[in-house]
Amino acid sequence: MDRFLFPRWVNKFVPLMFGVVLVGAAYGGSVLFVTTSPEILNRGYRPEQPVPFSHKLHAGRLKMDCRYCHNTVEKASHAAVPPTETCGNCHSGADSSGATKYAAVHATSVALEPVRESLATGESIDWTRVHNLPDFVYFNHSAHVTQGVSCVECHGRVDKMDVVQVVEPISMSWCLECHRDPDTHIRPADEVTNLAWGTEAGGNAMSDEEKRLLGKQLREELNINPSTNCSTCHR
């Protein structure tokens, strides 16, 4: 019986096939790496909430201070989601006799029904978290806002958002960039919740260089030296 011999072109086909497999694997790995990076996954995320709360209306038009709702931001590591009682200060419904508070706003609004139901039952509103760090990352809000790092640095101009969305990657490299060069991110502590500070809308338009010089001065005065050690965030 004659032996079967592969044609000569097979000698070139086999390494070519392996090359295609390797290129395909490299391409797939690159796509997976890019599409799962924080910058791709996080930016633009804007979940619907059970109550259509508009930051553009409350923080923007009405000029409500961020700390009225997020009242732990200066004292704790987390910025608390406001309890329903905070919403009820303005949006309470009718009492058992059918009367509403004199200052109640939109007391019969269908959109605010979850607020009235929560006030009546004591059950919390099931808000959907927008900015969510991994469990292995430690971040302290109070350490930042009390030293002049504004909400806008991480959350963007929420005073212009009807629906809050993620505008920054909130990745490790992004955080390290700020810790290594913090001067442009520091402002007077009493301007932390003034999201328009440093712009024409805020009444004190400043160039990037002017912000940097002021930030450097404040950093030196307050002895702010952000750590880049791993243990700062990974504890």
Side-chain angles (χ1 to χ4, degrees):
M1 180 182 292
D2 294 335
R3 288 189 306 167
F4 175 78
L5 297 176
F6 286 100
R8 291 181 179 276
W9 61 264
V10 174
N11 294 332
K12 296 181 179 180
F13 174 76
V14 172
L16 178 63
M17 182 180 66
F18 277 111
V20 170
V21 171
L22 289 175
V23 170
Y27 174 76
S30 299
V31 170
L32 182 64
F33 175 77
V34 171
T35 56
T36 57
S37 70
E39 186 167 352
I40 298 299
L41 287 180
N42 290 349
R43 278 183 171 169
Y45 177 58
R46 43 179 295 170
E48 290 188 12
Q49 302 290 353
V51 179
F53 180 88
S54 171
H55 281 75
K56 183 177 181 179
L57 170 63
H58 293 80
R61 284 179 55 195
L62 299 180
K63 307 297 182 186
M64 288 178 62
D65 193 297
C66 309
R67 293 165 294 190
Y68 180 76
C69 296
H70 303 289
N71 56 8
T72 64
V73 73
E74 293 180 306
K75 299 171 286 186
S77 63
H78 61 284
V81 174
T84 309
E85 284 75 10
T86 300
C87 306
N89 289 339
C90 297
H91 299 296
S92 59
D95 58 22
S96 57
S97 66
T100 58
K101 293 181 180 179
Y102 181 76
V105 179
H106 298 304
T108 59
S109 169
V110 174
L112 294 174
E113 178 59 31
V115 173
R116 296 192 293 272
E117 182 178 348
S118 178
L119 288 171
T121 64
E123 294 292 327
S124 299
I125 297 174
D126 191 17
W127 299 102
T128 300
R129 191 163 186 167
V130 181
H131 298 82
N132 193 15
L133 291 175
D135 292 339
F136 57 79
V137 177
Y138 174 78
F139 178 84
N140 190 316
H141 277 84
S142 65
H144 289 77
V145 299
T146 57
Q147 299 298 304
V149 179
S150 173
C151 319
V152 74
E153 298 296 337
C154 299
H155 301 298
R157 291 296 301 274
V158 293
D159 58 326
K160 293 185 176 182
M161 301 179 192
D162 278 317
V163 179
V164 172
Q165 68 177 32
V166 178
V167 296
E168 300 290 354
I170 319 293
S171 63
M172 185 173 74
S173 61
W174 178 80
C175 293
L176 282 171
E177 286 176 7
C178 183
H179 274 225
R180 288 167 177 159
D181 184 22
D183 292 348
T184 58
H185 305 286
I186 297 175
R187 63 178 66 184
D190 59 356
E191 297 288 355
V192 163
T193 60
N194 176 11
L195 305 188
W197 180 86
T199 68
E200 187 174 345
N204 63 328
M206 300 173 66
S207 66
D208 289 342
E209 185 58 29
E210 288 174 323
K211 290 180 181 178
R212 176 178 291 278
L213 291 173
L214 177 58
K216 181 180 180 181
Q217 177 185 336
L218 292 170
R219 179 174 58 80
E220 292 173 348
E221 290 176 357
L222 298 173
N223 193 29
I224 299 173
N225 297 294
S227 172
T228 57
N229 188 287
C230 304
S231 63
T232 304
C233 301
H234 303 293
R235 301 183 177 184

